[in-house]
Amino acid sequence: MQQAIAPATKTTHFDVERVRAYFPILSREVNGCPLVYLDNGATAQKPRQVIETVDRYYRDQNANIHRGVHHLSQRATSAYEAARETVAAWINAPASHQVLFNRGTTDGINLVASSWGRTNLRPGDEVIVSTMEHHSNIVPWQMICEEREAKLRVIPVSDKGELDMAAYADLLGERTRLVAVTHVSNTLGTVNPVREIIDQAHAAGARVLLDGAQALPHMRIDVQALGADFYAFSGHKLFGPTGVGILYGREELLDAMPPYQGGGDMIERVTFEKTTYNTLPHKFEAGTPNIVGGIGLAAAVDYVAALDQEALAAHEQDLLHYATGALESIPGLGIVGTAARKASVISFNIAGQHPFDVGTLLDQQGVAVRTGHHCTQPLMDRYGIPGTVRASFAFYNNRADVDALVDATRRAVDMLS
Ligand code: PLP
């Protein structure tokens, strides 16, 4: 089911045109112009392998998993569990039962906040997040801190969009129970020094959750090398289907945590007097999961894994630097987020113009970008702006996409002035 079809040969040159041919949507038009899709941070497009896997599943294989003795149920179960193995291998999880399927990053963070937080946070304890977090990595912690009478502490960010690591060191203390930070900022593109963050948190006796929503699409992740206690990400940003995501956790932590939701599949035995729970990963997977989502996500991982990772990373960095230079040459344009280490995400504003107006004019020219606060309102407050225009690049974008963005932005500036 998850056969790897190598879309590009292994060379140091990234053959972007060959890769683009695997993404059918990239050849459509929008508003009479060729689509230039630069909203990959919100969701990525899907290669043919994923689309065909989903289609084939419903045509040929659909059944509920884990509970049936019949042929289709067994095939679906095998495909779903094989998908878990594929994802576990891709992130180098020690065992596939440490890889929990869920709805996405938001769901994974809520699971940890709810299950781990409820059992481990005491009044006066502290949880550290950062100013650049997505609301998904703020609000669940606020909710559980309020419930447990714990305190939320916040790592500040610099004008360039880097975490203030000295302030982080000061925040860490004996009351710190958990540090929850994003690996890559969805708004600024900043790649955070997560190894350092984890090492310092562990030295202070705290656990670390990394929000990997924006990291997986741009870089290879090794959860063991990172030493993260929890790592959450979304399938749809990783070229897979929507409605499926992953939470990786350390075995001893997951084992000790109570279930997040009750229902089918997560139980061992139910009586009205007492219910006992299933083992990992099923303890955290109540109800019928997004079966085809998991299988489709594995198809996406197989697709990405077949690409030359080094060439892919170099290609994305080339797009980042090429686009940064070209955008900066537009009068009145200011880039928000100029960290030394960035993924291929560029937020910008045009002096005197609202990001929505710029985004609307770009859309009229076939260029899809995101505008607004990007679910990072505290970060917008930090910079005193209502939002930004964000162009987020995937490996299937090319320099022609950058040129189209820059030309369309210039025209938008002319039209608005
Ligand atoms: N964290 C970050 C950094 C994100 O960029 C996003 C989505 O944009 C999320 C979390 C939430 O992801 P999802 O909506 O797939 O749960």
Side-chain angles (χ1 to χ4, degrees), residues 41-43 103-109 132-137 182-187 211-215 232-237 243-245 370 374-376 390:
T43 200
R103 288 190 300 125
T105 311
T106 306
D107 204 20
I109 296 171
M132 69 170 77
E133 298 311 312
H134 188 281
H135 297 161
S136 297
N137 202 25
T182 193
H183 194 161
V184 173
S185 160
N186 63 314
T187 302
D211 171 349
Q214 299 292 339
F233 59 97
S234 302
H236 68 101
K237 296 183 198 283
V244 68
R370 183 127 305 228
H374 317 295
C375 296
T376 54
R390 182 189 70 184

Side-chain angles (χ1 to χ4, degrees), residues 39 41 113 121 130 187 207 323:
D39 195 17
L121 293 176
S130 88
T187 302
R207 299 293 182 186

Side-chain angles (χ1 to χ4, degrees), residues 112-176:
V112 178
S114 182
S115 171
W116 184 92
R118 198 159 285 142
T119 37
N120 287 280
L121 293 176
R122 307 267 172 275
D125 283 348
E126 295 181 358
V127 172
I128 297 178
V129 296
S130 88
T131 308
M132 69 170 77
E133 298 311 312
H134 188 281
H135 297 161
S136 297
N137 202 25
I138 298 175
V139 184
W141 301 113
Q142 276 178 327
M143 289 162 67
I144 196 69
C145 283
E146 193 176 337
E147 186 185 315
R148 304 299 302 162
E149 295 175 41
K151 226 170 142 185
L152 195 67
R153 311 291 305 272
V154 184
I155 312 168
V157 298
S158 69
D159 289 348
K160 290 174 77 175
E162 290 170 338
L163 292 181
D164 181 338
M165 292 299 284
Y168 170 58
D170 287 345
L171 285 173
L172 279 171
E174 58 181 25
R175 297 315 308 256
T176 313

Side-chain angles (χ1 to χ4, degrees), residues 45-209:
Q45 299 301 348
K46 320 304 173 198
R48 263 191 343 242
Q49 287 83 340
V50 170
I51 298 166
E52 285 165 8
T53 297
V54 170
D55 180 76
R56 197 165 49 236
Y57 176 81
Y58 280 129
R59 283 178 192 281
D60 189 44
Q61 219 175 353
N62 179 51
N64 210 334
I65 57 169
H66 293 153
R67 277 166 282 199
V69 291
H70 64 83
H71 175 77
L72 284 185
S73 177
Q74 295 203 348
R75 270 187 67 193
T77 302
S78 302
Y80 192 65
E81 291 307 327
R84 194 191 305 276
E85 300 279 345
T86 298
V87 177
W90 182 238
I91 61 169
N92 195 29
S96 65
H97 58 254
Q98 291 169 255
V99 168
L100 313 179
F101 277 121
N102 55 30
R103 288 190 300 125
T105 311
T106 306
D107 204 20
I109 296 171
N110 274 279
L111 187 158
V112 178
S114 182
S115 171
W116 184 92
R118 198 159 285 142
T119 37
N120 287 280
L121 293 176
R122 307 267 172 275
D125 283 348
E126 295 181 358
V127 172
I128 297 178
V129 296
S130 88
T131 308
M132 69 170 77
E133 298 311 312
H134 188 281
H135 297 161
S136 297
N137 202 25
I138 298 175
V139 184
W141 301 113
Q142 276 178 327
M143 289 162 67
I144 196 69
C145 283
E146 193 176 337
E147 186 185 315
R148 304 299 302 162
E149 295 175 41
K151 226 170 142 185
L152 195 67
R153 311 291 305 272
V154 184
I155 312 168
V157 298
S158 69
D159 289 348
K160 290 174 77 175
E162 290 170 338
L163 292 181
D164 181 338
M165 292 299 284
Y168 170 58
D170 287 345
L171 285 173
L172 279 171
E174 58 181 25
R175 297 315 308 256
T176 313
R177 291 287 164 269
L178 184 116
V179 178
V181 290
T182 193
H183 194 161
V184 173
S185 160
N186 63 314
T187 302
L188 307 169
T190 310
V191 180
N192 285 321
V194 287
R195 249 327 279 271
E196 216 177 311
I197 290 170
I198 291 169
D199 289 348
Q200 290 184 28
H202 284 171
R207 299 293 182 186
V208 180
L209 175 141

